[in-house]
Amino acid sequence: MELRVLRYFLSVAREGLGCLLAFDRLVDTGPDSPLCFRPLTPPLHSRLFFVWKKYAMFSPAAEALLDEVKSRMCLWNPAR
């Protein structure tokens, strides 16, 4: 459901019918994209949490995503 909502708001922004407020690098804003990123001033900060079941079985793609997220987190502590 959430991905469909994000796609809807992306299409609205691409057509010039509105704006999308999102985290930096959440959507493609590269040279071929009609979208651009404009930081807010003053900057807003938000905490982001990843939550999963303790003994969940993941698909290979989900496992790769989780490994990537863990490798990029500043304060990763698996003991918590």
Side-chain angles (χ1 to χ4, degrees), residues 5-68:
V5 172
L6 178 59
R7 285 182 181 158
Y8 170 74
F9 285 118
L10 279 171
S11 67
V12 168
R14 282 189 187 111
E15 295 298 321
L17 301 174
C19 296
L20 176 67
L21 182 64
F23 291 108
D24 187 15
R25 297 183 187 95
L26 181 64
V27 297
D28 177 28
T29 57
D32 296 334
S33 174
L35 303 175
C36 63
F37 178 77
R38 299 282 188 251
L40 297 175
T41 304
L44 298 177
H45 298 279
S46 176
R47 295 177 69 178
L48 181 64
F49 296 91
F50 284 87
V51 180
W52 59 91
K53 290 183 181 180
K54 193 171 190 175
Y55 300 107
M57 298 294 293
F58 296 112
S59 68
E63 190 70 42
L65 174 64
L66 186 57
D67 290 343
E68 184 68 21

